Amino acid sequence: RSGSAPTDSNGSHSHAASQATGLRITYPPSGTTVRGSKGVLVEGTASGLTSGESGWLFDANTSLTEFSEDYNLAAGQEPVVTGNYKWSFLDAPIGVPGDDGQTYTLVVVRASSACSKILAQRAEFTRLPSGCHIDDQTEIIVNYPKAKSSE
């Protein structure tokens, strides 16, 4: 599954990763192991976004059938990317302690204004709304160390 082509909201493969414009995840590289409780600073670039488009970050399962929106709890549900620039977002936590060794797919979604309105109202999706397009993705492995037992 590592290095698989991005898919759009209908699950079909996209060639967006080979295009110079759009939303890209530049860090972490696919296959990176991250401590789930601490998360990871996701970094990327945005170019070619048109007026009204924005970028949203999700933690998804590897089959891309469960999407959990990433957002700043203090600011509320809002896009991670709102213009053409380098961006970063601390994605934490990722998963739960029972997910030790689980692979997650970090997904950056280019959203129309109509899609953004829907994304701002919910945080969990089994299918992305119309007007959302997965521009890039990378797989990470979540690590939750076992608690040390006292003997």
PDB file of all heavy atoms in Angstrom, residues 25-66:
ATOM      1  N   ILE A  25       2.021  16.693   0.662  1.00  0.00           N
ATOM      2  CA  ILE A  25       2.600  16.408   1.975  1.00  0.00           C
ATOM      3  C   ILE A  25       4.083  16.157   1.721  1.00  0.00           C
ATOM      4  O   ILE A  25       4.443  15.236   0.985  1.00  0.00           O
ATOM      5  CB  ILE A  25       1.940  15.185   2.637  1.00  0.00           C
ATOM      6  CG1 ILE A  25       0.458  15.457   2.906  1.00  0.00           C
ATOM      7  CG2 ILE A  25       2.688  14.812   3.924  1.00  0.00           C
ATOM      8  CD1 ILE A  25      -0.322  14.243   3.405  1.00  0.00           C
ATOM      9  N   THR A  26       4.937  16.991   2.310  1.00  0.00           N
ATOM     10  CA  THR A  26       6.384  16.829   2.133  1.00  0.00           C
ATOM     11  C   THR A  26       7.043  16.118   3.311  1.00  0.00           C
ATOM     12  O   THR A  26       8.151  15.634   3.201  1.00  0.00           O
ATOM     13  CB  THR A  26       7.066  18.195   1.901  1.00  0.00           C
ATOM     14  OG1 THR A  26       6.794  19.053   3.020  1.00  0.00           O
ATOM     15  CG2 THR A  26       6.547  18.852   0.623  1.00  0.00           C
ATOM     16  N   TYR A  27       6.358  16.080   4.459  1.00  0.00           N
ATOM     17  CA  TYR A  27       6.846  15.364   5.643  1.00  0.00           C
ATOM     18  C   TYR A  27       5.635  14.964   6.473  1.00  0.00           C
ATOM     19  O   TYR A  27       4.714  15.764   6.599  1.00  0.00           O
ATOM     20  CB  TYR A  27       7.787  16.255   6.471  1.00  0.00           C
ATOM     21  CG  TYR A  27       8.414  15.484   7.609  1.00  0.00           C
ATOM     22  CD1 TYR A  27       9.582  14.760   7.411  1.00  0.00           C
ATOM     23  CD2 TYR A  27       7.806  15.432   8.854  1.00  0.00           C
ATOM     24  CE1 TYR A  27      10.136  14.014   8.440  1.00  0.00           C
ATOM     25  CE2 TYR A  27       8.359  14.682   9.888  1.00  0.00           C
ATOM     26  CZ  TYR A  27       9.514  13.981   9.671  1.00  0.00           C
ATOM     27  OH  TYR A  27      10.049  13.228  10.691  1.00  0.00           O
ATOM     28  N   PRO A  28       5.589  13.772   7.006  1.00  0.00           N
ATOM     29  CA  PRO A  28       6.608  12.724   7.056  1.00  0.00           C
ATOM     30  C   PRO A  28       6.601  11.858   5.787  1.00  0.00           C
ATOM     31  O   PRO A  28       5.553  11.743   5.125  1.00  0.00           O
ATOM     32  CB  PRO A  28       6.197  11.884   8.266  1.00  0.00           C
ATOM     33  CG  PRO A  28       4.692  11.988   8.268  1.00  0.00           C
ATOM     34  CD  PRO A  28       4.394  13.395   7.797  1.00  0.00           C
ATOM     35  N   PRO A  29       7.737  11.243   5.481  1.00  0.00           N
ATOM     36  CA  PRO A  29       7.756  10.313   4.349  1.00  0.00           C
ATOM     37  C   PRO A  29       6.953   9.051   4.678  1.00  0.00           C
ATOM     38  O   PRO A  29       6.803   8.677   5.839  1.00  0.00           O
ATOM     39  CB  PRO A  29       9.237   9.996   4.147  1.00  0.00           C
ATOM     40  CG  PRO A  29       9.905  10.367   5.426  1.00  0.00           C
ATOM     41  CD  PRO A  29       9.052  11.404   6.091  1.00  0.00           C
ATOM     42  N   SER A  30       6.452   8.404   3.658  1.00  0.00           N
ATOM     43  CA  SER A  30       5.675   7.181   3.831  1.00  0.00           C
ATOM     44  C   SER A  30       6.501   6.133   4.564  1.00  0.00           C
ATOM     45  O   SER A  30       7.689   5.972   4.304  1.00  0.00           O
ATOM     46  CB  SER A  30       5.236   6.646   2.467  1.00  0.00           C
ATOM     47  OG  SER A  30       4.288   5.630   2.637  1.00  0.00           O
ATOM     48  N   GLY A  31       5.871   5.448   5.522  1.00  0.00           N
ATOM     49  CA  GLY A  31       6.538   4.406   6.292  1.00  0.00           C
ATOM     50  C   GLY A  31       7.134   4.880   7.599  1.00  0.00           C
ATOM     51  O   GLY A  31       7.654   4.082   8.376  1.00  0.00           O
ATOM     52  N   THR A  32       7.039   6.185   7.883  1.00  0.00           N
ATOM     53  CA  THR A  32       7.574   6.735   9.128  1.00  0.00           C
ATOM     54  C   THR A  32       6.787   6.205  10.323  1.00  0.00           C
ATOM     55  O   THR A  32       5.562   6.131  10.286  1.00  0.00           O
ATOM     56  CB  THR A  32       7.494   8.281   9.111  1.00  0.00           C
ATOM     57  OG1 THR A  32       8.288   8.770   8.030  1.00  0.00           O
ATOM     58  CG2 THR A  32       7.974   8.889  10.414  1.00  0.00           C
ATOM     59  N   THR A  33       7.486   5.825  11.388  1.00  0.00           N
ATOM     60  CA  THR A  33       6.842   5.432  12.637  1.00  0.00           C
ATOM     61  C   THR A  33       6.778   6.653  13.543  1.00  0.00           C
ATOM     62  O   THR A  33       7.778   7.347  13.725  1.00  0.00           O
ATOM     63  CB  THR A  33       7.623   4.297  13.328  1.00  0.00           C
ATOM     64  OG1 THR A  33       7.622   3.156  12.465  1.00  0.00           O
ATOM     65  CG2 THR A  33       6.992   3.914  14.655  1.00  0.00           C
ATOM     66  N   VAL A  34       5.604   6.940  14.081  1.00  0.00           N
ATOM     67  CA  VAL A  34       5.425   8.086  14.972  1.00  0.00           C
ATOM     68  C   VAL A  34       4.781   7.628  16.271  1.00  0.00           C
ATOM     69  O   VAL A  34       4.010   6.670  16.291  1.00  0.00           O
ATOM     70  CB  VAL A  34       4.574   9.205  14.334  1.00  0.00           C
ATOM     71  CG1 VAL A  34       5.201   9.698  13.054  1.00  0.00           C
ATOM     72  CG2 VAL A  34       3.156   8.765  14.089  1.00  0.00           C
ATOM     73  N   ARG A  35       5.127   8.297  17.362  1.00  0.00           N
ATOM     74  CA  ARG A  35       4.490   8.024  18.649  1.00  0.00           C
ATOM     75  C   ARG A  35       3.088   8.630  18.602  1.00  0.00           C
ATOM     76  O   ARG A  35       2.927   9.831  18.443  1.00  0.00           O
ATOM     77  CB  ARG A  35       5.305   8.610  19.789  1.00  0.00           C
ATOM     78  CG  ARG A  35       4.694   8.306  21.138  1.00  0.00           C
ATOM     79  CD  ARG A  35       5.598   8.716  22.253  1.00  0.00           C
ATOM     80  NE  ARG A  35       6.003   7.495  22.922  1.00  0.00           N
ATOM     81  CZ  ARG A  35       6.968   7.428  23.802  1.00  0.00           C
ATOM     82  NH1 ARG A  35       7.682   8.486  24.089  1.00  0.00           N
ATOM     83  NH2 ARG A  35       7.246   6.288  24.393  1.00  0.00           N
ATOM     84  N   GLY A  36       2.077   7.782  18.682  1.00  0.00           N
ATOM     85  CA  GLY A  36       0.693   8.212  18.525  1.00  0.00           C
ATOM     86  C   GLY A  36       0.267   9.327  19.453  1.00  0.00           C
ATOM     87  O   GLY A  36      -0.430  10.248  19.047  1.00  0.00           O
ATOM     88  N   SER A  37       0.692   9.264  20.725  1.00  0.00           N
ATOM     89  CA  SER A  37       0.267  10.281  21.691  1.00  0.00           C
ATOM     90  C   SER A  37       0.883  11.644  21.389  1.00  0.00           C
ATOM     91  O   SER A  37       0.271  12.669  21.650  1.00  0.00           O
ATOM     92  CB  SER A  37       0.643   9.848  23.105  1.00  0.00           C
ATOM     93  OG  SER A  37       2.046   9.657  23.206  1.00  0.00           O
ATOM     94  N   LYS A  38       2.088  11.659  20.820  1.00  0.00           N
ATOM     95  CA  LYS A  38       2.758  12.924  20.502  1.00  0.00           C
ATOM     96  C   LYS A  38       2.460  13.391  19.084  1.00  0.00           C
ATOM     97  O   LYS A  38       2.590  14.566  18.772  1.00  0.00           O
ATOM     98  CB  LYS A  38       4.259  12.795  20.685  1.00  0.00           C
ATOM     99  CG  LYS A  38       4.647  12.544  22.133  1.00  0.00           C
ATOM    100  CD  LYS A  38       6.122  12.737  22.329  1.00  0.00           C
ATOM    101  CE  LYS A  38       6.546  12.435  23.743  1.00  0.00           C
ATOM    102  NZ  LYS A  38       6.120  13.392  24.713  1.00  0.00           N
ATOM    103  N   GLY A  39       2.077  12.466  18.200  1.00  0.00           N
ATOM    104  CA  GLY A  39       1.750  12.820  16.829  1.00  0.00           C
ATOM    105  C   GLY A  39       2.977  13.190  16.022  1.00  0.00           C
ATOM    106  O   GLY A  39       4.103  12.812  16.351  1.00  0.00           O
ATOM    107  N   VAL A  40       2.748  13.963  14.968  1.00  0.00           N
ATOM    108  CA  VAL A  40       3.818  14.344  14.062  1.00  0.00           C
ATOM    109  C   VAL A  40       3.484  15.709  13.455  1.00  0.00           C
ATOM    110  O   VAL A  40       2.324  16.031  13.230  1.00  0.00           O
ATOM    111  CB  VAL A  40       4.013  13.284  12.947  1.00  0.00           C
ATOM    112  CG1 VAL A  40       2.787  13.169  12.057  1.00  0.00           C
ATOM    113  CG2 VAL A  40       5.251  13.557  12.116  1.00  0.00           C
ATOM    114  N   LEU A  41       4.522  16.508  13.217  1.00  0.00           N
ATOM    115  CA  LEU A  41       4.340  17.777  12.528  1.00  0.00           C
ATOM    116  C   LEU A  41       4.278  17.470  11.037  1.00  0.00           C
ATOM    117  O   LEU A  41       5.274  17.092  10.426  1.00  0.00           O
ATOM    118  CB  LEU A  41       5.485  18.750  12.826  1.00  0.00           C
ATOM    119  CG  LEU A  41       5.329  20.137  12.203  1.00  0.00           C
ATOM    120  CD1 LEU A  41       4.131  20.874  12.803  1.00  0.00           C
ATOM    121  CD2 LEU A  41       6.599  20.951  12.392  1.00  0.00           C
ATOM    122  N   VAL A  42       3.085  17.569  10.467  1.00  0.00           N
ATOM    123  CA  VAL A  42       2.887  17.314   9.038  1.00  0.00           C
ATOM    124  C   VAL A  42       3.222  18.610   8.303  1.00  0.00           C
ATOM    125  O   VAL A  42       2.732  19.684   8.669  1.00  0.00           O
ATOM    126  CB  VAL A  42       1.437  16.881   8.738  1.00  0.00           C
ATOM    127  CG1 VAL A  42       1.259  16.592   7.256  1.00  0.00           C
ATOM    128  CG2 VAL A  42       1.055  15.669   9.585  1.00  0.00           C
ATOM    129  N   GLU A  43       4.068  18.505   7.279  1.00  0.00           N
ATOM    130  CA  GLU A  43       4.464  19.668   6.501  1.00  0.00           C
ATOM    131  C   GLU A  43       4.098  19.449   5.045  1.00  0.00           C
ATOM    132  O   GLU A  43       4.060  18.311   4.569  1.00  0.00           O
ATOM    133  CB  GLU A  43       5.972  19.900   6.623  1.00  0.00           C
ATOM    134  CG  GLU A  43       6.417  20.178   8.037  1.00  0.00           C
ATOM    135  CD  GLU A  43       7.930  20.279   8.176  1.00  0.00           C
ATOM    136  OE1 GLU A  43       8.659  19.990   7.197  1.00  0.00           O
ATOM    137  OE2 GLU A  43       8.384  20.642   9.265  1.00  0.00           O
ATOM    138  N   GLY A  44       3.831  20.544   4.349  1.00  0.00           N
ATOM    139  CA  GLY A  44       3.483  20.416   2.952  1.00  0.00           C
ATOM    140  C   GLY A  44       3.538  21.729   2.213  1.00  0.00           C
ATOM    141  O   GLY A  44       3.929  22.768   2.767  1.00  0.00           O
ATOM    142  N   THR A  45       3.150  21.663   0.954  1.00  0.00           N
ATOM    143  CA  THR A  45       3.097  22.844   0.106  1.00  0.00           C
ATOM    144  C   THR A  45       1.737  22.913  -0.566  1.00  0.00           C
ATOM    145  O   THR A  45       1.064  21.900  -0.746  1.00  0.00           O
ATOM    146  CB  THR A  45       4.189  22.807  -0.980  1.00  0.00           C
ATOM    147  OG1 THR A  45       3.994  21.646  -1.790  1.00  0.00           O
ATOM    148  CG2 THR A  45       5.584  22.783  -0.369  1.00  0.00           C
ATOM    149  N   ALA A  46       1.363  24.125  -0.927  1.00  0.00           N
ATOM    150  CA  ALA A  46       0.127  24.347  -1.666  1.00  0.00           C
ATOM    151  C   ALA A  46       0.418  25.306  -2.804  1.00  0.00           C
ATOM    152  O   ALA A  46       1.059  26.344  -2.604  1.00  0.00           O
ATOM    153  CB  ALA A  46      -0.939  24.941  -0.753  1.00  0.00           C
ATOM    154  N   SER A  47      -0.006  24.942  -3.997  1.00  0.00           N
ATOM    155  CA  SER A  47       0.120  25.842  -5.136  1.00  0.00           C
ATOM    156  C   SER A  47      -1.036  25.579  -6.090  1.00  0.00           C
ATOM    157  O   SER A  47      -1.551  24.467  -6.166  1.00  0.00           O
ATOM    158  CB  SER A  47       1.459  25.648  -5.851  1.00  0.00           C
ATOM    159  OG  SER A  47       1.551  24.335  -6.369  1.00  0.00           O
ATOM    160  N   GLY A  48      -1.458  26.612  -6.758  1.00  0.00           N
ATOM    161  CA  GLY A  48      -2.536  26.469  -7.729  1.00  0.00           C
ATOM    162  C   GLY A  48      -3.928  26.414  -7.138  1.00  0.00           C
ATOM    163  O   GLY A  48      -4.885  26.129  -7.854  1.00  0.00           O
ATOM    164  N   LEU A  49      -4.068  26.678  -5.831  1.00  0.00           N
ATOM    165  CA  LEU A  49      -5.421  26.727  -5.256  1.00  0.00           C
ATOM    166  C   LEU A  49      -6.143  27.933  -5.842  1.00  0.00           C
ATOM    167  O   LEU A  49      -5.576  29.015  -5.945  1.00  0.00           O
ATOM    168  CB  LEU A  49      -5.381  26.851  -3.735  1.00  0.00           C
ATOM    169  CG  LEU A  49      -4.875  25.662  -2.932  1.00  0.00           C
ATOM    170  CD1 LEU A  49      -4.941  25.971  -1.436  1.00  0.00           C
ATOM    171  CD2 LEU A  49      -5.656  24.410  -3.243  1.00  0.00           C
ATOM    172  N   THR A  50      -7.381  27.742  -6.218  1.00  0.00           N
ATOM    173  CA  THR A  50      -8.160  28.847  -6.761  1.00  0.00           C
ATOM    174  C   THR A  50      -8.974  29.499  -5.648  1.00  0.00           C
ATOM    175  O   THR A  50      -9.072  28.963  -4.538  1.00  0.00           O
ATOM    176  CB  THR A  50      -9.095  28.340  -7.878  1.00  0.00           C
ATOM    177  OG1 THR A  50      -9.980  27.362  -7.330  1.00  0.00           O
ATOM    178  CG2 THR A  50      -8.304  27.737  -9.025  1.00  0.00           C
ATOM    179  N   SER A  51      -9.555  30.622  -5.937  1.00  0.00           N
ATOM    180  CA  SER A  51     -10.358  31.347  -4.962  1.00  0.00           C
ATOM    181  C   SER A  51     -11.452  30.433  -4.415  1.00  0.00           C
ATOM    182  O   SER A  51     -12.162  29.773  -5.172  1.00  0.00           O
ATOM    183  CB  SER A  51     -10.982  32.574  -5.626  1.00  0.00           C
ATOM    184  OG  SER A  51     -11.802  33.254  -4.709  1.00  0.00           O
ATOM    185  N   GLY A  52     -11.564  30.362  -3.113  1.00  0.00           N
ATOM    186  CA  GLY A  52     -12.586  29.526  -2.470  1.00  0.00           C
ATOM    187  C   GLY A  52     -12.117  28.128  -2.132  1.00  0.00           C
ATOM    188  O   GLY A  52     -12.776  27.431  -1.380  1.00  0.00           O
ATOM    189  N   GLU A  53     -10.983  27.685  -2.692  1.00  0.00           N
ATOM    190  CA  GLU A  53     -10.469  26.358  -2.364  1.00  0.00           C
ATOM    191  C   GLU A  53      -9.606  26.426  -1.105  1.00  0.00           C
ATOM    192  O   GLU A  53      -8.974  27.436  -0.830  1.00  0.00           O
ATOM    193  CB  GLU A  53      -9.617  25.790  -3.508  1.00  0.00           C
ATOM    194  CG  GLU A  53     -10.410  25.334  -4.692  1.00  0.00           C
ATOM    195  CD  GLU A  53      -9.537  24.651  -5.731  1.00  0.00           C
ATOM    196  OE1 GLU A  53      -8.396  25.113  -5.969  1.00  0.00           O
ATOM    197  OE2 GLU A  53      -9.995  23.653  -6.303  1.00  0.00           O
ATOM    198  N   SER A  54      -9.585  25.327  -0.362  1.00  0.00           N
ATOM    199  CA  SER A  54      -8.759  25.239   0.844  1.00  0.00           C
ATOM    200  C   SER A  54      -8.303  23.796   1.015  1.00  0.00           C
ATOM    201  O   SER A  54      -8.727  22.902   0.285  1.00  0.00           O
ATOM    202  CB  SER A  54      -9.560  25.702   2.070  1.00  0.00           C
ATOM    203  OG  SER A  54     -10.730  24.925   2.211  1.00  0.00           O
ATOM    204  N   GLY A  55      -7.422  23.586   1.978  1.00  0.00           N
ATOM    205  CA  GLY A  55      -6.907  22.250   2.235  1.00  0.00           C
ATOM    206  C   GLY A  55      -7.230  21.783   3.639  1.00  0.00           C
ATOM    207  O   GLY A  55      -7.088  22.533   4.600  1.00  0.00           O
ATOM    208  N   TRP A  56      -7.668  20.546   3.744  1.00  0.00           N
ATOM    209  CA  TRP A  56      -8.025  19.931   5.021  1.00  0.00           C
ATOM    210  C   TRP A  56      -7.184  18.683   5.199  1.00  0.00           C
ATOM    211  O   TRP A  56      -6.940  17.946   4.245  1.00  0.00           O
ATOM    212  CB  TRP A  56      -9.500  19.564   5.040  1.00  0.00           C
ATOM    213  CG  TRP A  56     -10.416  20.744   4.956  1.00  0.00           C
ATOM    214  CD1 TRP A  56     -10.646  21.528   3.856  1.00  0.00           C
ATOM    215  CD2 TRP A  56     -11.233  21.271   5.999  1.00  0.00           C
ATOM    216  NE1 TRP A  56     -11.567  22.506   4.162  1.00  0.00           N
ATOM    217  CE2 TRP A  56     -11.942  22.373   5.473  1.00  0.00           C
ATOM    218  CE3 TRP A  56     -11.443  20.912   7.326  1.00  0.00           C
ATOM    219  CZ2 TRP A  56     -12.846  23.117   6.222  1.00  0.00           C
ATOM    220  CZ3 TRP A  56     -12.340  21.653   8.076  1.00  0.00           C
ATOM    221  CH2 TRP A  56     -13.023  22.740   7.533  1.00  0.00           C
ATOM    222  N   LEU A  57      -6.766  18.412   6.422  1.00  0.00           N
ATOM    223  CA  LEU A  57      -5.940  17.252   6.731  1.00  0.00           C
ATOM    224  C   LEU A  57      -6.771  16.223   7.488  1.00  0.00           C
ATOM    225  O   LEU A  57      -7.544  16.575   8.384  1.00  0.00           O
ATOM    226  CB  LEU A  57      -4.735  17.686   7.582  1.00  0.00           C
ATOM    227  CG  LEU A  57      -3.672  16.646   7.855  1.00  0.00           C
ATOM    228  CD1 LEU A  57      -2.969  16.222   6.565  1.00  0.00           C
ATOM    229  CD2 LEU A  57      -2.648  17.200   8.848  1.00  0.00           C
ATOM    230  N   PHE A  58      -6.596  14.949   7.125  1.00  0.00           N
ATOM    231  CA  PHE A  58      -7.324  13.864   7.769  1.00  0.00           C
ATOM    232  C   PHE A  58      -6.377  12.730   8.126  1.00  0.00           C
ATOM    233  O   PHE A  58      -5.387  12.490   7.421  1.00  0.00           O
ATOM    234  CB  PHE A  58      -8.386  13.272   6.820  1.00  0.00           C
ATOM    235  CG  PHE A  58      -9.537  14.175   6.544  1.00  0.00           C
ATOM    236  CD1 PHE A  58      -9.475  15.104   5.518  1.00  0.00           C
ATOM    237  CD2 PHE A  58     -10.700  14.086   7.289  1.00  0.00           C
ATOM    238  CE1 PHE A  58     -10.545  15.935   5.244  1.00  0.00           C
ATOM    239  CE2 PHE A  58     -11.784  14.914   7.020  1.00  0.00           C
ATOM    240  CZ  PHE A  58     -11.709  15.843   5.997  1.00  0.00           C
ATOM    241  N   ASP A  59      -6.703  12.007   9.207  1.00  0.00           N
ATOM    242  CA  ASP A  59      -6.122  10.698   9.491  1.00  0.00           C
ATOM    243  C   ASP A  59      -7.145   9.708   8.964  1.00  0.00           C
ATOM    244  O   ASP A  59      -8.330   9.802   9.295  1.00  0.00           O
ATOM    245  CB  ASP A  59      -5.952  10.467  11.001  1.00  0.00           C
ATOM    246  CG  ASP A  59      -5.026  11.481  11.658  1.00  0.00           C
ATOM    247  OD1 ASP A  59      -4.179  12.057  10.962  1.00  0.00           O
ATOM    248  OD2 ASP A  59      -5.167  11.678  12.880  1.00  0.00           O
ATOM    249  N   ALA A  60      -6.693   8.775   8.131  1.00  0.00           N
ATOM    250  CA  ALA A  60      -7.629   7.821   7.534  1.00  0.00           C
ATOM    251  C   ALA A  60      -7.100   6.411   7.698  1.00  0.00           C
ATOM    252  O   ALA A  60      -5.904   6.194   7.931  1.00  0.00           O
ATOM    253  CB  ALA A  60      -7.817   8.136   6.042  1.00  0.00           C
ATOM    254  N   ASN A  61      -8.012   5.445   7.561  1.00  0.00           N
ATOM    255  CA  ASN A  61      -7.556   4.061   7.524  1.00  0.00           C
ATOM    256  C   ASN A  61      -6.945   3.817   6.137  1.00  0.00           C
ATOM    257  O   ASN A  61      -7.104   4.636   5.224  1.00  0.00           O
ATOM    258  CB  ASN A  61      -8.696   3.095   7.857  1.00  0.00           C
ATOM    259  CG  ASN A  61      -9.845   3.152   6.865  1.00  0.00           C
ATOM    260  OD1 ASN A  61      -9.868   3.933   5.919  1.00  0.00           O
ATOM    261  ND2 ASN A  61     -10.831   2.302   7.086  1.00  0.00           N
ATOM    262  N   THR A  62      -6.212   2.734   5.979  1.00  0.00           N
ATOM    263  CA  THR A  62      -5.492   2.514   4.725  1.00  0.00           C
ATOM    264  C   THR A  62      -6.412   2.239   3.550  1.00  0.00           C
ATOM    265  O   THR A  62      -6.027   2.438   2.399  1.00  0.00           O
ATOM    266  CB  THR A  62      -4.462   1.373   4.862  1.00  0.00           C
ATOM    267  OG1 THR A  62      -5.137   0.191   5.303  1.00  0.00           O
ATOM    268  CG2 THR A  62      -3.359   1.745   5.830  1.00  0.00           C
ATOM    269  N   SER A  63      -7.651   1.820   3.792  1.00  0.00           N
ATOM    270  CA  SER A  63      -8.589   1.589   2.687  1.00  0.00           C
ATOM    271  C   SER A  63      -9.364   2.859   2.321  1.00  0.00           C
ATOM    272  O   SER A  63     -10.196   2.840   1.414  1.00  0.00           O
ATOM    273  CB  SER A  63      -9.554   0.456   3.027  1.00  0.00           C
ATOM    274  OG  SER A  63     -10.274   0.772   4.201  1.00  0.00           O
ATOM    275  N   LEU A  64      -9.069   3.949   3.024  1.00  0.00           N
ATOM    276  CA  LEU A  64      -9.706   5.249   2.776  1.00  0.00           C
ATOM    277  C   LEU A  64     -11.225   5.173   2.857  1.00  0.00           C
ATOM    278  O   LEU A  64     -11.947   5.732   2.047  1.00  0.00           O
ATOM    279  CB  LEU A  64      -9.259   5.835   1.425  1.00  0.00           C
ATOM    280  CG  LEU A  64      -7.754   6.074   1.285  1.00  0.00           C
ATOM    281  CD1 LEU A  64      -7.421   6.591  -0.106  1.00  0.00           C
ATOM    282  CD2 LEU A  64      -7.242   7.024   2.354  1.00  0.00           C
ATOM    283  N   THR A  65     -11.714   4.486   3.902  1.00  0.00           N
ATOM    284  CA  THR A  65     -13.153   4.398   4.148  1.00  0.00           C
ATOM    285  C   THR A  65     -13.549   5.031   5.476  1.00  0.00           C
ATOM    286  O   THR A  65     -14.729   5.074   5.809  1.00  0.00           O
ATOM    287  CB  THR A  65     -13.631   2.939   4.127  1.00  0.00           C
ATOM    288  OG1 THR A  65     -12.896   2.200   5.105  1.00  0.00           O
ATOM    289  CG2 THR A  65     -13.453   2.317   2.745  1.00  0.00           C
ATOM    290  N   GLU A  66     -12.566   5.499   6.242  1.00  0.00           N
ATOM    291  CA  GLU A  66     -12.817   6.202   7.503  1.00  0.00           C
ATOM    292  C   GLU A  66     -11.858   7.381   7.565  1.00  0.00           C
ATOM    293  O   GLU A  66     -10.645   7.197   7.540  1.00  0.00           O
ATOM    294  CB  GLU A  66     -12.580   5.289   8.704  1.00  0.00           C
ATOM    295  CG  GLU A  66     -13.530   4.113   8.783  1.00  0.00           C
ATOM    296  CD  GLU A  66     -13.188   3.173   9.935  1.00  0.00           C
ATOM    297  OE1 GLU A  66     -12.383   3.548  10.815  1.00  0.00           O
ATOM    298  OE2 GLU A  66     -13.715   2.053   9.925  1.00  0.00           O
TER     299      GLU A  66
END
